[in-house]
Amino acid sequence: MKKQIIAAAFVVLSLLCAHAQSTSKLTATKANEYGLIYTLPLTSFNVTLAAEKTVRTPGEFYQYAKKYLNADPILAPSVSWRITGAAIEQTAFPDEHERYLVTLKNGSGAFVMVSDDNFPVSLNDESYRWTQPEVDLPEAVEAKPTILQLPVARQAVTPEMIQSKSSAKRAELAAAKIYELRNMRSEIISGQAESMPSDGAAMKLALDQIASQEEALTAMFLGTVQTSVEVRTYSVEVPAEGAPERSVVARLSMVDGLVAPDDLSGSPIYVTVSPQTRGELPVNEKGVTKTFPKGGVAYRIPGTGLVTVSFDGKTLAGGTYDVAQYGVVFGLDPSLFTSRKSLSYLRFNPLTGAVVELGTINQ
């Protein structure tokens, strides 16, 4: 295998690509001695976790909930967290030990398309657009105001409740108001109200106002529950050979939510990356391993790995992915991409450096 790392030339080509947003075209010309430089990628993963926060708050009249509403209220304030979602997204980073200079002579105008990270995307194919598989990522959700934090809660409080200094009396008045509202709703629905709404829209508005006020007064007895969702993304690398396959990516604290892996106030959330298959070098018809062609166009033959995210003994997310670290590097004869008679193109997976498609260009 002939591998050349030319630092100065790589810096120049990197500067030429610096303004590209997605891919850049590098053409083999006399100016660069027909040499094209690219870097093969290594696999990594982004693990996104969603944790739901629940805040329970007792109502002002929780002590009287059983007496007036025959219901069990929230008795004490509390905060709790639970994992509600997880997603795995494959990413890549440069393999500094697999940087190649490919020489494509004969004045063919051969070119390579590279990503912003200088990963190979295609060779002699400018139209190819590699698309990363979409991952359904969890989304953060902000806490909404409780019914007692809305203006309707003030509207539901009667002057008598405001004037009373006894919590027991205020609770009695609030309960009476709840039953009054229920009676009003029943009369409107049955058409027996003394002052009926003029039309359907007015009836809906009146019923909505009654429902909101009843909800607010009821919350004064039963309490409120407020939820929100926090989302965080963690970068996970493939364990080195011989290293533990399972690691703690984060922890879940019942008080603080998602915390750092070394914060023992939380329970561990694990990510496991384990090899399933290993990439192998191709062999000839006699079963002998082929040798890397002189000046070959390097590509990766990846292996596969199983990646899982687990918490409290349950798997949150998982899947099998092509993994560059479990593979080997081989090369294609560079003459395939410079021949005037039968010019070839090559398409890569820029996350692994694997060959997606090799074909001939119709001329």
Coordinates of all heavy atoms in Angstrom, one line a residue, residues 79-169:
V79 N -41.0 17.2 42.3 CA -40.4 17.3 40.9 C -39.9 15.9 40.6 O -39.2 15.2 41.4 CB -39.2 18.3 40.9 CG1 -38.6 18.3 39.5 CG2 -39.7 19.7 41.2
S80 N -40.2 15.4 39.4 CA -39.7 14.1 38.9 C -39.3 14.2 37.5 O -39.8 15.0 36.7 CB -40.8 13.0 39.1 OG -42.0 13.3 38.4
W81 N -38.5 13.2 37.1 CA -38.0 13.2 35.7 C -38.1 11.8 35.2 O -38.0 10.8 36.0 CB -36.5 13.6 35.7 CG -36.2 15.0 35.9 CD1 -36.1 15.6 37.2 CD2 -36.0 16.1 35.0 NE1 -35.9 17.0 37.0 CE2 -35.8 17.3 35.7 CE3 -36.0 16.1 33.6 CZ2 -35.5 18.5 35.1 CZ3 -35.7 17.3 33.0 CH2 -35.5 18.5 33.7
R82 N -38.3 11.6 33.9 CA -38.2 10.3 33.2 C -37.7 10.5 31.8 O -38.0 11.5 31.2 CB -39.6 9.6 33.3 CG -40.7 10.3 32.4 CD -42.0 9.7 32.6 NE -43.0 10.2 31.7 CZ -43.5 9.7 30.6 NH1 -43.0 8.5 30.2 NH2 -44.4 10.3 29.8
I83 N -37.1 9.4 31.3 CA -36.6 9.4 29.9 C -37.8 9.1 29.0 O -38.5 8.1 29.2 CB -35.5 8.4 29.7 CG1 -34.3 8.8 30.6 CG2 -35.1 8.4 28.3 CD1 -33.6 10.0 30.2
T84 N -38.1 10.0 28.1 CA -39.2 9.8 27.2 C -38.8 9.5 25.7 O -39.6 9.1 24.9 CB -40.1 11.0 27.2 OG1 -39.3 12.2 26.8 CG2 -40.7 11.2 28.5
G85 N -37.5 9.6 25.4 CA -37.1 9.4 24.0 C -35.6 9.3 23.9 O -34.8 9.9 24.7
A86 N -35.1 8.6 22.9 CA -33.7 8.6 22.6 C -33.6 8.3 21.1 O -34.4 7.6 20.5 CB -33.0 7.5 23.4
A87 N -32.5 8.8 20.5 CA -32.3 8.6 19.1 C -30.8 8.6 18.8 O -30.0 9.2 19.5 CB -32.9 9.8 18.2
I88 N -30.4 7.8 17.8 CA -29.0 7.6 17.5 C -28.8 8.1 16.0 O -29.5 7.7 15.1 CB -28.6 6.1 17.5 CG1 -28.8 5.6 18.9 CG2 -27.1 5.9 17.1 CD1 -28.7 4.0 19.0
E89 N -27.8 9.0 15.9 CA -27.5 9.5 14.6 C -26.0 9.3 14.3 O -25.1 9.6 15.1 CB -27.8 11.0 14.5 CG -27.7 11.6 13.2 CD -28.1 13.1 13.2 OE1 -28.1 13.7 14.3 OE2 -28.5 13.6 12.1
Q90 N -25.7 8.6 13.1 CA -24.3 8.3 12.8 C -23.7 9.6 12.2 O -24.2 10.3 11.4 CB -24.3 7.2 11.7 CG -22.9 6.8 11.4 CD -22.9 5.5 10.5 OE1 -23.9 5.1 10.0 NE2 -21.7 5.0 10.2
T91 N -22.4 9.8 12.7 CA -21.6 10.9 12.2 C -20.2 10.4 11.9 O -20.0 9.2 11.9 CB -21.5 12.0 13.3 OG1 -21.0 11.5 14.5 CG2 -22.9 12.6 13.6
A92 N -19.3 11.3 11.6 CA -17.9 10.9 11.3 C -17.0 12.0 11.6 O -17.3 13.2 11.7 CB -17.9 10.5 9.8
F93 N -15.7 11.6 11.7 CA -14.6 12.6 12.0 C -13.4 12.1 11.2 O -13.3 10.9 10.9 CB -14.3 12.8 13.5 CG -13.9 11.5 14.2 CD1 -12.5 11.3 14.4 CD2 -14.8 10.6 14.6 CE1 -12.0 10.2 15.0 CE2 -14.3 9.4 15.3 CZ -13.0 9.2 15.5
P94 N -12.5 13.0 10.9 CA -11.3 12.6 10.0 C -10.4 11.6 10.7 O -10.1 11.7 11.9 CB -10.6 13.9 9.8 CG -11.6 15.0 10.1 CD -12.5 14.4 11.1
D95 N -10.0 10.6 9.9 CA -9.0 9.6 10.3 C -7.6 10.2 9.9 O -7.3 10.1 8.7 CB -9.3 8.3 9.7 CG -8.3 7.2 10.2 OD1 -7.3 7.5 10.8 OD2 -8.6 6.0 9.9
E96 N -6.9 10.8 10.8 CA -5.6 11.4 10.4 C -4.6 10.4 10.0 O -3.6 10.8 9.4 CB -5.1 12.2 11.6 CG -6.0 13.3 12.1 CD -6.3 14.3 11.0 OE1 -5.5 14.5 10.1 OE2 -7.4 15.0 11.1
H97 N -4.8 9.1 10.2 CA -3.9 8.1 9.7 C -4.2 7.6 8.3 O -3.5 6.7 7.8 CB -3.8 7.0 10.7 CG -3.4 7.4 12.1 ND1 -2.1 7.8 12.4 CD2 -4.0 7.5 13.2 CE1 -2.0 8.1 13.6 NE2 -3.2 7.9 14.2
E98 N -5.3 8.0 7.8 CA -5.8 7.5 6.5 C -6.0 8.7 5.5 O -7.1 9.0 5.1 CB -7.0 6.7 6.6 CG -6.9 5.4 7.5 CD -5.9 4.4 6.8 OE1 -5.6 4.5 5.7 OE2 -5.5 3.5 7.6
R99 N -5.0 9.5 5.3 CA -5.0 10.6 4.4 C -4.3 10.2 3.1 O -3.1 9.8 3.2 CB -4.4 11.8 5.0 CG -4.6 13.1 4.3 CD -4.1 14.3 5.1 NE -4.9 14.5 6.3 CZ -4.5 15.3 7.3 NH1 -3.3 15.9 7.2 NH2 -5.2 15.4 8.3
Y100 N -4.9 10.4 2.0 CA -4.3 9.9 0.7 C -4.1 10.9 -0.4 O -4.9 11.9 -0.5 CB -5.2 8.8 0.2 CG -5.2 7.5 1.0 CD1 -6.1 7.4 2.1 CD2 -4.3 6.5 0.8 CE1 -6.1 6.3 2.9 CE2 -4.3 5.4 1.6 CZ -5.2 5.3 2.6 OH -5.2 4.2 3.4
L101 N -3.0 10.7 -1.1 CA -2.8 11.5 -2.3 C -3.0 10.5 -3.5 O -2.2 9.5 -3.6 CB -1.4 12.0 -2.3 CG -0.9 12.6 -3.7 CD1 -1.7 13.9 -4.0 CD2 0.6 13.0 -3.6
V102 N -4.0 10.8 -4.3 CA -4.2 10.0 -5.5 C -3.8 10.7 -6.7 O -4.2 11.9 -7.0 CB -5.7 9.6 -5.6 CG1 -6.0 8.8 -6.8 CG2 -6.2 8.9 -4.4
T103 N -2.9 10.1 -7.5 CA -2.4 10.7 -8.7 C -3.2 10.2 -9.9 O -3.2 9.0 -10.2 CB -0.9 10.4 -8.9 OG1 -0.2 10.9 -7.8 CG2 -0.3 11.1 -10.1
L104 N -3.8 11.2 -10.6 CA -4.7 10.8 -11.8 C -4.2 11.6 -13.0 O -4.6 12.7 -13.2 CB -6.1 11.2 -11.5 CG -6.7 10.4 -10.3 CD1 -8.1 11.0 -9.9 CD2 -6.9 8.9 -10.5
K105 N -3.2 11.0 -13.7 CA -2.6 11.7 -14.8 C -3.3 11.5 -16.1 O -4.5 11.2 -16.2 CB -1.1 11.2 -14.9 CG -0.3 11.5 -13.7 CD 1.2 11.0 -13.9 CE 2.0 11.4 -12.7 NZ 3.5 11.0 -12.9
N106 N -2.6 11.6 -17.2 CA -3.0 11.5 -18.6 C -3.9 12.6 -19.1 O -4.6 12.5 -20.1 CB -3.8 10.2 -18.8 CG -2.9 9.0 -18.6 OD1 -1.7 9.1 -18.7 ND2 -3.5 7.8 -18.3
G107 N -4.0 13.7 -18.3 CA -4.7 14.9 -18.7 C -6.2 14.6 -18.9 O -6.9 15.2 -19.8
S108 N -6.8 13.7 -18.1 CA -8.2 13.3 -18.3 C -9.1 14.3 -17.6 O -10.3 14.2 -17.8 CB -8.4 11.9 -17.7 OG -8.1 11.9 -16.3
G109 N -8.6 15.2 -16.8 CA -9.4 16.1 -16.1 C -10.2 15.4 -15.0 O -11.3 15.9 -14.6
A110 N -9.7 14.3 -14.5 CA -10.4 13.6 -13.4 C -10.5 14.5 -12.2 O -9.6 15.4 -11.9 CB -9.6 12.4 -13.0
F111 N -11.6 14.3 -11.4 CA -11.8 15.2 -10.2 C -12.4 14.4 -9.1 O -13.0 13.3 -9.3 CB -12.7 16.4 -10.6 CG -14.0 16.0 -11.1 CD1 -15.1 15.9 -10.2 CD2 -14.3 15.8 -12.4 CE1 -16.4 15.5 -10.6 CE2 -15.5 15.4 -12.9 CZ -16.6 15.3 -12.0
V112 N -12.3 14.9 -7.9 CA -13.0 14.3 -6.8 C -13.8 15.3 -6.0 O -13.4 16.5 -5.9 CB -11.9 13.6 -5.8 CG1 -11.0 14.7 -5.2 CG2 -12.6 12.9 -4.7
M113 N -15.0 15.0 -5.6 CA -15.9 15.8 -4.8 C -15.6 15.4 -3.4 O -15.7 14.3 -3.0 CB -17.3 15.7 -5.2 CG -17.6 15.9 -6.7 SD -17.3 17.6 -7.2 CE -18.5 18.5 -6.2
V114 N -15.3 16.4 -2.5 CA -15.1 16.2 -1.1 C -16.0 17.0 -0.3 O -16.5 18.0 -0.7 CB -13.6 16.5 -0.7 CG1 -12.7 15.6 -1.5 CG2 -13.3 17.9 -1.0
S115 N -16.3 16.5 0.9 CA -17.1 17.2 1.9 C -16.3 18.3 2.6 O -15.1 18.5 2.4 CB -17.7 16.2 2.9 OG -16.6 15.8 3.8
D116 N -17.0 19.0 3.5 CA -16.3 20.1 4.2 C -15.2 19.5 5.1 O -14.2 20.2 5.4 CB -17.3 20.9 5.1 CG -18.2 21.7 4.2 OD1 -17.8 22.1 3.1 OD2 -19.3 22.1 4.7
D117 N -15.3 18.3 5.5 CA -14.3 17.6 6.3 C -13.2 16.9 5.5 O -12.4 16.2 6.0 CB -14.9 16.6 7.3 CG -15.8 17.3 8.3 OD1 -15.3 18.3 8.9 OD2 -16.9 16.9 8.6
N118 N -13.3 17.1 4.1 CA -12.4 16.5 3.2 C -12.6 15.0 3.0 O -11.7 14.3 2.6 CB -10.9 16.8 3.5 CG -10.0 16.7 2.3 OD1 -10.3 17.3 1.3 ND2 -8.9 16.0 2.5
F119 N -13.8 14.6 3.3 CA -14.1 13.2 3.1 C -14.5 13.0 1.6 O -15.2 13.9 1.0 CB -15.3 12.7 3.9 CG -15.1 12.8 5.4 CD1 -16.2 13.1 6.3 CD2 -13.9 12.7 6.0 CE1 -16.0 13.2 7.6 CE2 -13.7 12.8 7.3 CZ -14.7 13.1 8.2
P120 N -14.1 11.9 1.0 CA -14.5 11.7 -0.4 C -16.0 11.5 -0.6 O -16.6 10.7 0.1 CB -13.7 10.5 -0.9 CG -13.5 9.7 0.4 CD -13.3 10.8 1.5
V121 N -16.6 12.2 -1.5 CA -18.0 12.0 -1.8 C -18.2 11.3 -3.2 O -19.0 10.3 -3.3 CB -18.8 13.3 -1.8 CG1 -20.2 13.1 -2.2 CG2 -18.7 14.0 -0.5
S122 N -17.4 11.7 -4.2 CA -17.5 11.0 -5.5 C -16.2 11.3 -6.3 O -15.5 12.3 -6.0 CB -18.7 11.5 -6.3 OG -18.6 12.9 -6.6
L123 N -16.0 10.5 -7.3 CA -14.9 10.7 -8.2 C -15.4 10.7 -9.6 O -16.1 9.7 -10.0 CB -13.9 9.6 -8.0 CG -12.4 9.9 -8.4 CD1 -11.4 9.0 -7.7 CD2 -12.2 9.9 -9.9
N124 N -15.2 11.7 -10.3 CA -15.7 11.9 -11.7 C -17.2 11.9 -11.8 O -17.8 11.5 -12.8 CB -15.2 10.8 -12.6 CG -13.7 10.9 -12.9 OD1 -13.1 12.0 -12.7 ND2 -13.1 9.9 -13.4
D125 N -17.9 12.4 -10.7 CA -19.3 12.4 -10.7 C -19.8 13.6 -9.9 O -19.9 13.6 -8.7 CB -19.9 11.1 -10.2 CG -21.5 11.1 -10.3 OD1 -22.1 12.2 -10.7 OD2 -22.1 10.1 -9.9
E126 N -20.0 14.7 -10.6 CA -20.4 16.0 -9.9 C -21.8 16.0 -9.5 O -22.3 16.8 -8.7 CB -20.0 17.2 -10.8 CG -20.0 18.5 -10.1 CD -19.4 19.6 -10.9 OE1 -18.9 19.4 -12.0 OE2 -19.4 20.8 -10.4
S127 N -22.6 15.2 -10.2 CA -24.1 15.2 -9.9 C -24.5 14.4 -8.7 O -25.6 14.6 -8.2 CB -24.8 14.6 -11.1 OG -24.5 13.2 -11.3
Y128 N -23.6 13.6 -8.2 CA -24.0 12.7 -7.0 C -24.2 13.6 -5.8 O -23.4 14.4 -5.4 CB -22.9 11.7 -6.8 CG -23.1 10.8 -5.6 CD1 -24.3 10.1 -5.5 CD2 -22.1 10.7 -4.6 CE1 -24.4 9.2 -4.3 CE2 -22.3 9.9 -3.5 CZ -23.4 9.2 -3.4 OH -23.6 8.4 -2.3
R129 N -25.3 13.3 -5.1 CA -25.7 14.0 -3.9 C -25.9 12.9 -2.8 O -27.0 12.2 -2.9 CB -26.9 14.9 -4.0 CG -26.7 16.1 -5.0 CD -25.7 17.1 -4.4 NE -25.6 18.2 -5.3 CZ -24.7 18.3 -6.3 NH1 -23.9 17.3 -6.5 NH2 -24.6 19.4 -7.1
W130 N -25.0 12.7 -1.9 CA -25.2 11.7 -0.9 C -26.2 12.3 0.1 O -26.0 13.4 0.6 CB -23.9 11.3 -0.3 CG -24.1 10.2 0.8 CD1 -24.1 8.9 0.5 CD2 -24.2 10.4 2.2 NE1 -24.3 8.2 1.7 CE2 -24.3 9.1 2.8 CE3 -24.2 11.5 3.0 CZ2 -24.5 8.9 4.1 CZ3 -24.3 11.3 4.4 CH2 -24.5 10.0 4.9
T131 N -27.2 11.5 0.5 CA -28.1 11.9 1.5 C -28.1 11.0 2.7 O -28.2 9.8 2.7 CB -29.6 11.8 0.9 OG1 -29.6 12.6 -0.3 CG2 -30.6 12.3 1.9
Q132 N -27.8 11.7 3.9 CA -27.8 10.9 5.1 C -29.2 10.5 5.5 O -30.1 11.3 5.4 CB -27.2 11.8 6.2 CG -27.0 11.0 7.5 CD -26.2 11.8 8.5 OE1 -25.7 12.9 8.2 NE2 -26.0 11.3 9.7
P133 N -29.3 9.3 6.0 CA -30.7 8.8 6.4 C -31.2 9.7 7.5 O -30.5 10.1 8.4 CB -30.4 7.4 7.0 CG -29.2 7.0 6.3 CD -28.3 8.2 6.1
E134 N -32.5 10.1 7.4 CA -33.1 11.0 8.4 C -33.4 10.2 9.7 O -33.7 9.0 9.7 CB -34.4 11.5 7.8 CG -34.3 12.5 6.7 CD -35.6 13.2 6.3 OE1 -36.6 12.9 7.0 OE2 -35.6 13.9 5.3
V135 N -33.2 10.9 10.8 CA -33.4 10.4 12.1 C -34.4 11.2 12.8 O -34.4 12.4 12.8 CB -32.1 10.4 12.9 CG1 -32.4 9.9 14.3 CG2 -31.0 9.5 12.2
D136 N -35.4 10.6 13.3 CA -36.5 11.2 14.0 C -36.0 11.6 15.4 O -36.1 10.8 16.4 CB -37.8 10.3 14.1 CG -39.0 11.1 14.7 OD1 -38.9 12.3 14.7 OD2 -40.0 10.4 15.0
L137 N -35.6 12.9 15.5 CA -35.0 13.4 16.8 C -36.1 13.9 17.7 O -37.0 14.5 17.3 CB -34.0 14.5 16.5 CG -32.8 14.1 15.7 CD1 -31.9 15.3 15.4 CD2 -31.9 13.0 16.4
P138 N -36.0 13.6 19.0 CA -37.0 14.2 20.0 C -36.8 15.7 20.0 O -35.7 16.2 19.8 CB -36.6 13.5 21.3 CG -35.2 13.1 21.1 CD -35.0 12.8 19.7
E139 N -37.9 16.4 20.4 CA -37.9 17.8 20.4 C -38.2 18.3 21.9 O -38.9 17.7 22.6 CB -38.9 18.4 19.5 CG -38.7 18.1 18.0 CD -39.7 18.7 17.1 OE1 -40.6 19.4 17.7 OE2 -39.6 18.6 15.9
A140 N -37.5 19.4 22.2 CA -37.7 20.0 23.5 C -39.1 20.6 23.6 O -39.6 21.1 22.6 CB -36.7 21.1 23.8
V141 N -39.7 20.6 24.8 CA -41.0 21.2 25.0 C -41.0 22.1 26.2 O -40.6 21.6 27.3 CB -42.1 20.1 25.2 CG1 -43.5 20.8 25.4 CG2 -42.2 19.2 23.9
E142 N -41.3 23.3 26.1 CA -41.3 24.2 27.2 C -42.6 24.0 28.1 O -43.6 23.6 27.6 CB -41.3 25.7 26.8 CG -40.0 26.1 26.1 CD -39.9 27.6 25.8 OE1 -40.9 28.3 26.2 OE2 -38.9 28.0 25.2
A143 N -42.4 24.3 29.4 CA -43.6 24.1 30.3 C -44.6 25.2 30.0 O -44.3 26.4 29.8 CB -43.1 24.2 31.7
K144 N -45.9 24.8 29.9 CA -47.0 25.7 29.7 C -47.5 26.2 31.1 O -47.4 25.5 32.1 CB -48.1 25.0 28.9 CG -47.8 24.6 27.5 CD -48.9 23.9 26.8 CE -48.6 23.5 25.4 NZ -49.8 22.9 24.7
P145 N -48.0 27.4 31.1 CA -48.5 27.9 32.4 C -49.7 27.0 32.9 O -50.5 26.5 32.1 CB -49.1 29.3 32.0 CG -48.4 29.7 30.8 CD -48.1 28.4 30.0
T146 N -49.7 26.8 34.1 CA -50.9 26.0 34.7 C -52.1 26.9 34.7 O -52.0 28.1 34.5 CB -50.6 25.6 36.1 OG1 -50.6 26.7 37.0 CG2 -49.3 24.8 36.2
I147 N -53.3 26.2 34.9 CA -54.5 27.0 34.8 C -54.6 28.1 35.9 O -55.2 29.1 35.7 CB -55.7 26.0 35.0 CG1 -57.1 26.7 34.8 CG2 -55.7 25.4 36.4 CD1 -57.3 27.2 33.4
L148 N -53.8 27.8 37.0 CA -53.8 28.8 38.1 C -52.9 30.0 37.8 O -52.9 31.0 38.5 CB -53.4 28.2 39.4 CG -54.4 27.1 40.0 CD1 -53.9 26.6 41.3 CD2 -55.8 27.8 40.2
Q149 N -52.1 29.9 36.7 CA -51.2 31.0 36.3 C -51.8 31.8 35.2 O -51.2 32.8 34.8 CB -49.8 30.4 35.9 CG -49.1 29.7 37.0 CD -47.9 29.0 36.5 OE1 -47.8 28.5 35.4 NE2 -46.8 28.9 37.3
L150 N -53.0 31.5 34.8 CA -53.7 32.2 33.7 C -54.7 33.2 34.3 O -55.2 33.0 35.4 CB -54.4 31.2 32.8 CG -53.5 30.2 32.0 CD1 -54.3 29.2 31.2 CD2 -52.5 30.9 31.1
P151 N -55.1 34.2 33.5 CA -56.0 35.2 34.0 C -57.4 34.6 34.4 O -58.0 35.2 35.3 CB -56.2 36.1 32.8 CG -54.9 36.0 32.0 CD -54.5 34.6 32.2
V152 N -57.8 33.5 33.9 CA -59.1 32.9 34.2 C -59.1 32.5 35.7 O -60.2 32.5 36.2 CB -59.3 31.7 33.3 CG1 -58.4 30.5 33.6 CG2 -60.8 31.2 33.4
A153 N -58.0 32.2 36.3 CA -58.0 31.9 37.7 C -58.4 33.0 38.6 O -59.2 32.9 39.5 CB -56.6 31.4 38.1
R154 N -58.0 34.3 38.2 CA -58.5 35.4 38.9 C -60.0 35.7 38.7 O -60.7 36.2 39.6 CB -57.6 36.7 38.5 CG -56.2 36.5 38.9 CD -55.4 37.9 38.7 NE -55.4 38.2 37.3 CZ -54.4 37.8 36.5 NH1 -53.5 37.0 36.9 NH2 -54.4 38.2 35.2
Q155 N -60.4 35.4 37.4 CA -61.8 35.6 37.1 C -62.7 34.7 37.9 O -63.9 35.0 38.2 CB -62.0 35.5 35.6 CG -61.2 36.5 34.8 CD -61.2 36.1 33.3 OE1 -61.9 35.1 32.9 NE2 -60.5 36.8 32.5
A156 N -62.2 33.5 38.2 CA -63.0 32.5 38.9 C -63.2 32.8 40.4 O -64.1 32.3 41.0 CB -62.4 31.1 38.7
V157 N -62.3 33.6 40.9 CA -62.4 33.9 42.4 C -63.5 35.0 42.6 O -63.5 36.1 42.0 CB -61.0 34.4 42.9 CG1 -61.1 34.8 44.4 CG2 -60.0 33.4 42.7
T158 N -64.4 34.7 43.5 CA -65.5 35.6 43.8 C -65.0 36.7 44.8 O -64.1 36.4 45.6 CB -66.7 34.9 44.4 OG1 -66.3 34.3 45.7 CG2 -67.1 33.8 43.4
P159 N -65.7 37.8 44.9 CA -65.4 38.8 45.9 C -65.5 38.3 47.3 O -64.6 38.6 48.2 CB -66.4 39.9 45.7 CG -66.8 39.8 44.2 CD -66.8 38.3 44.0
E160 N -66.4 37.4 47.6 CA -66.5 36.8 48.9 C -65.3 36.0 49.3 O -64.9 36.0 50.5 CB -67.8 35.9 49.0 CG -69.1 36.7 48.9 CD -69.5 37.0 47.5 OE1 -68.8 36.6 46.6 OE2 -70.5 37.7 47.3
M161 N -64.8 35.3 48.3 CA -63.6 34.5 48.6 C -62.4 35.4 48.9 O -61.5 35.1 49.8 CB -63.2 33.6 47.4 CG -64.2 32.5 47.1 SD -63.9 31.6 45.6 CE -62.2 31.0 45.8
I162 N -62.3 36.5 48.2 CA -61.2 37.5 48.4 C -61.3 38.1 49.8 O -60.3 38.3 50.5 CB -61.2 38.6 47.3 CG1 -61.0 37.9 46.0 CG2 -60.2 39.6 47.6 CD1 -61.1 38.9 44.8
Q163 N -62.5 38.4 50.2 CA -62.7 39.1 51.5 C -62.6 38.2 52.7 O -62.2 38.6 53.8 CB -64.1 39.7 51.5 CG -64.3 40.8 50.5 CD -65.7 41.3 50.4 OE1 -66.6 40.8 51.1 NE2 -66.0 42.2 49.4
S164 N -62.8 36.9 52.5 CA -62.7 36.0 53.7 C -61.3 35.7 54.1 O -60.4 35.5 53.3 CB -63.4 34.6 53.3 OG -63.3 33.7 54.3
K165 N -61.1 35.7 55.4 CA -59.8 35.5 56.0 C -59.6 34.0 56.4 O -58.5 33.6 56.8 CB -59.5 36.4 57.2 CG -59.5 37.9 56.8 CD -59.2 38.8 58.0 CE -59.1 40.2 57.6 NZ -58.8 41.1 58.8
S166 N -60.7 33.2 56.3 CA -60.6 31.9 56.7 C -60.4 31.0 55.5 O -61.2 31.0 54.5 CB -61.9 31.5 57.4 OG -62.0 30.1 57.6
S167 N -59.4 30.1 55.5 CA -59.2 29.2 54.4 C -60.3 28.2 54.3 O -60.7 27.8 53.1 CB -57.9 28.5 54.6 OG -57.9 27.7 55.7
A168 N -60.9 27.8 55.4 CA -62.0 26.9 55.4 C -63.2 27.5 54.7 O -63.9 26.9 53.9 CB -62.4 26.4 56.8
K169 N -63.5 28.8 55.0 CA -64.6 29.5 54.4 C -64.4 29.7 52.9 O -65.3 29.5 52.1 CB -64.8 30.9 55.1 CG -66.0 31.6 54.5 CD -67.3 30.9 54.8 CE -68.5 31.7 54.3 NZ -69.8 31.0 54.5

